[in-house]
Amino acid sequence: MTDAESLLEGLDEQQRQAAEALLGPVCMLAGAGTGKTRAITHRIAYGVASGVYPPGRVMALTFTSRAAGELRSRLRGLGAAGVTARTFHASALSQLNFFWPQVVGGTMPKLIDSKARLLAHAADSLRLKLDTATLRDAAAEIEWRKVSRLSIEQYADSGRAMPPTLTIERSADLQRAYENLKDERRQLDFEDVLLAAAGMIELEPRVAQQVREQYRFFVVDEYQDVSPLQHDLLTLWLGERNDVCVVGDASQTIYSFAGASPDYLLGFPAAYEDAVVVRLEQNYRSTPLIVDAANRLMRGRPGALSLHSVQQGGPAPEVHSAQNDSQEARSIATAIAAEIAGGVPPSEIAVLYRINVQGTAIEAALDDANVSYVLRGATRFFDLKEVKEALMLLKGASVTTAATEPLFKTVSDVLRSLGWTQEGPEVRGAVRDRWESLNALMHLAEEATPGTTLRQFVDELFERQAGQHDPTRDAVTLSTIHAAKGLEWDSVYLMGLTEGMLPISYARTEDAIDEERRLLYVGVTRARKRLCLSWSAQQGRKPSRFLSEVQRLGT
């Protein structure tokens, strides 16, 4: 067996079919938990090992720095370290930085770090008094317009449903003032990066030629989330070629409000008549009854896959009601404390909800139960003061420590100088939180490949930092469902499942309700072994209409 063929070992029939389809258009319809990242990385690595792909000419695109970092890490482990894995924005920004001096002259304009601040100045110029929330809504409108590739005039005539504090006329006027101010200050925003990169390729044949000579083979993950602007940029990168593999799941489209559309994924076979279409439906993550709940939610919906669990056994999803929010949160906290006492690691438990404000009650309940938790979307791990200190000390030690010193010993010595101990404090609080952060670094050292040097370990830490690839901390995760996409836990609690919350009150159209259904589907499919869904009857609330479909499992 050749090295290339060994990369196909362990893939199921559908994953292998996708991995072996190296040339031409390929569409992987990959359901939740079906091993799509494994299929993507083994396909790329197989292409490199078999000599079909020169690694420097492969571009793997995804939507978050964390996902791009994970792709790079996996590809490196499979012998395909030369492959580029980036977000759309990182790729476009790299091209702009390179071509701007040649095409436009001078240095590229600076990127603004906050639309809201510039919008506040634009509002002042129009004598508009807008609060912070309205400025955030206005920023979201700019983003939607640009990724939808609409001019301000087209946007003003679009008939788009607006946030309650903005009219479309006021929003259009504000956007004109914002663009004028941005041009005066010679600045670009996040979406301008994609627009400018697309514009250069469209208008400058030599730019198009150089870009297309650099990258020949494309893989696009989470293709259901692509916007019209990202789709157009991908088309420009490809030119007349068709060596592109797209991967996605229409049932996990939960960013339509930001311009994402599953139409490009579902329409791919029509756009490329010779496309190889592979359906990944073998679910390796969740127990059969959790998979059944997910299938029930999406049955009959456009593009829905029929998942089949390879697991056995497992309890049915539980549905609980409570008289009020505090009682719901206390019940969840009590159940979590019991799971932890029974041996479930806190890091394998998550509580998910629709909007951030719902997290307040469960935070208080977990504090009362003396259960550690981490808020996903709060301060990032590598931005914590103690982690920054540890990285600096480890970097210094990598220069002065002998290469023969065991990694575990050196890392533990450095962390002990910052207060880390083998056994953590027994009570919650800032001291415990600090210990958890340092202990997460210790775990990374313990899990490092045998023979890893301190310098290699430190390089990996800084790569994780750049890719926002946070390590797992020994604490329960609290997160919105949106922020939990792409993650998984043994035990998942979905709380606050009422009419008005999920589906959210402003989801009034059929399309909007369908998006809320997909959001619950994403939440359900985060669970491996145990799934608990709950709602509170506080202020006369009614259970979410989606719960009845989950409850049928028990009948």
Side-chain angles (χ1 to χ4, degrees):
M1 180 182 297
T2 67
D3 288 342
E5 288 172 336
S6 69
L7 290 166
L8 302 179
E9 281 193 318
L11 299 183
D12 66 31
E13 184 180 344
Q14 288 71 36
Q15 291 171 341
R16 186 174 183 128
Q17 181 186 353
E20 290 180 323
L22 295 175
L23 299 175
V26 179
C27 179
M28 250 191 271
L29 300 173
T34 58
K36 73 176 176 70
T37 305
R38 178 178 175 81
I40 291 169
T41 52
H42 280 253
R43 178 182 183 273
I44 294 172
Y46 177 66
V48 170
S50 61
V52 177
Y53 294 166
R57 301 200 69 194
V58 181
M59 170 71 81
L61 293 159
T62 188
F63 285 80
T64 67
S65 296
R66 182 184 183 279
E70 182 180 355
L71 282 178
R72 285 193 297 271
S73 177
R74 291 211 200 182
L75 287 168
R76 188 167 54 245
L78 294 171
V83 170
T84 300
R86 288 178 178 158
T87 63
F88 273 89
H89 282 90
S91 297
L93 184 59
S94 175
Q95 291 173 11
L96 269 193
N97 277 317
F98 182 79
F99 288 113
W100 192 282
Q102 303 173 35
V103 175
V104 183
T107 58
M108 199 184 94
K110 290 184 178 178
L111 296 179
I112 62 172
D113 56 4
S114 168
K115 284 190 184 71
R117 193 177 300 120
L118 199 62
L119 275 166
H121 292 306
D124 288 342
S125 72
L126 297 174
R127 297 184 179 178
L128 292 175
K129 292 190 179 295
L130 304 179
D131 60 21
T132 302
T134 302
L135 289 171
R136 283 201 303 267
D137 284 342
E141 288 299 297
I142 290 173
E143 290 159 11
W144 180 86
R145 174 182 67 80
K146 289 187 175 184
V147 301
S148 301
R149 301 213 78 173
L150 298 178
S151 66
I152 294 177
E153 289 67 31
Q154 289 170 324
Y155 167 79
D157 294 336
S158 67
R160 177 169 164 79
M162 297 298 295
T165 50
L166 282 174
T167 64
I168 200 156
E169 293 80 14
R170 174 184 282 189
S171 180
D173 289 342
L174 187 58
Q175 290 190 37
R176 290 188 187 94
Y178 165 86
E179 294 297 333
N180 290 335
L181 195 56
K182 186 161 56 66
D183 290 345
E184 288 172 13
R185 297 184 179 186
R186 201 169 174 272
Q187 293 178 316
L188 297 176
D189 61 28
F190 210 47
E191 291 68 40
D192 289 335
V193 171
L194 299 182
L195 286 165
M200 279 191 181
I201 297 171
E202 283 176 317
L203 300 173
E204 295 288 337
R206 61 192 176 93
V207 172
Q209 182 181 355
Q210 280 185 259
V211 168
R212 291 166 190 162
E213 282 178 356
Q214 183 176 10
Y215 295 112
R216 167 66 193 272
F217 305 97
F218 290 84
V219 177
V220 189
D221 192 13
E222 304 288 3
Y223 198 62
Q224 78 279 350
D225 288 335
V226 77
S227 69
L229 175 53
Q230 288 163 330
H231 174 263
D232 288 354
L233 185 55
L234 175 64
T235 302
L236 288 165
W237 283 336
L238 279 166
E240 297 298 317
R241 303 162 304 175
N242 66 356
D243 289 312
V244 58
C245 172
V246 300
V247 188
D249 179 8
S251 296
Q252 296 189 68
T253 306
I254 58 173
Y255 294 106
S256 294
F257 62 88
S261 171
D263 293 348
Y264 300 114
L265 174 68
L266 298 178
F268 190 87
Y272 295 94
E273 292 182 1
D274 57 340
V276 174
V277 179
V278 183
R279 298 168 71 91
L280 303 187
E281 296 178 308
Q282 196 84 297
N283 181 285
Y284 297 93
R285 176 186 299 160
S286 307
T287 58
L289 291 177
I290 293 174
V291 168
D292 285 348
N295 284 338
R296 281 177 180 270
L297 279 171
M298 299 313 300
R299 189 163 294 154
R301 263 59 195 183
L305 298 163
S306 181
L307 302 180
H308 310 283
S309 175
V310 302
Q311 309 291 341
Q312 292 186 346
E318 301 172 24
V319 179
H320 300 287
S321 62
Q323 293 180 346
N324 54 54
D325 294 347
S326 294
Q327 185 187 76
E328 180 185 14
R330 285 196 302 272
S331 296
I332 293 172
T334 299
I336 288 173
E339 283 201 80
I340 293 171
V344 179
S347 59
E348 288 297 345
I349 302 172
V351 183
L352 309 181
Y353 32 80
R354 177 63 175 81
I355 58 175
N356 278 309
V357 71
Q358 291 175 281
T360 305
I362 189 63
E363 286 179 50
L366 289 173
D367 278 335
D368 290 344
N370 199 29
V371 173
S372 296
Y373 59 86
V374 60
L375 288 167
R376 182 160 178 80
T379 304
R380 302 201 68 90
F381 177 80
F382 285 104
D383 291 335
L384 295 170
K385 181 174 180 288
E386 60 269 24
V387 175
K388 288 182 175 180
E389 289 175 352
L391 258 62
M392 288 302 102
L393 289 176
L394 287 167
K395 187 173 183 179
S398 72
V399 177
T400 58
T401 305
T404 54
E405 180 100 344
L407 178 65
F408 178 90
K409 181 181 184 307
T410 310
V411 175
S412 63
D413 286 347
V414 169
L415 297 183
R416 284 180 197 281
S417 74
L418 292 169
W420 177 81
T421 55
Q422 202 153 5
E423 297 295 328
E426 293 184 0
V427 294
R428 259 196 63 76
V431 174
R432 175 75 190 197
D433 291 345
R434 179 183 173 86
W435 181 87
E436 294 280 8
S437 300
L438 297 176
N439 198 51
L441 291 173
M442 196 66 244
H443 275 312
L444 289 179
E446 291 169 351
E447 293 168 0
T449 304
T452 300
T453 66
L454 180 60
R455 179 162 294 188
Q456 289 170 333
F457 178 68
V458 170
D459 288 345
E460 169 117 5
L461 288 178
F462 278 96
E463 186 174 321
R464 277 175 168 268
Q465 182 185 44
Q468 299 180 12
H469 187 190
D470 295 354
T472 301
R473 285 182 264 181
D474 195 25
V476 173
T477 299
L478 307 185
S479 174
T480 64
I481 303 174
H482 278 101
K485 189 170 179 290
L487 303 176
E488 58 188 77
W489 296 269
D490 281 350
S491 189
V492 170
Y493 294 79
L494 283 160
M495 65 179 291
L497 301 179
T498 61
E499 289 290 309
M501 193 55 71
L502 208 158
I504 199 80
S505 57
Y506 52 76
R508 297 189 178 93
T509 66
E510 188 175 331
D511 286 346
I513 295 294
D514 276 346
E515 180 117 342
E516 296 293 297
R517 174 185 290 276
R518 293 192 295 268
L519 190 59
L520 181 56
Y521 172 86
V522 168
V524 166
T525 54
R526 299 311 93 198
R528 296 191 195 104
K529 299 177 182 177
R530 186 180 182 201
L531 176 65
C532 299
L533 307 98
S534 61
W535 64 282
S536 152
Q538 185 166 314
Q539 297 178 324
R541 297 181 194 134
K542 302 296 182 187
S544 168
R545 68 192 73 181
F546 305 134
L547 281 177
S548 61
E549 297 174 39
V550 177
Q551 285 178 302
R552 284 182 205 147
L553 291 168
T555 61

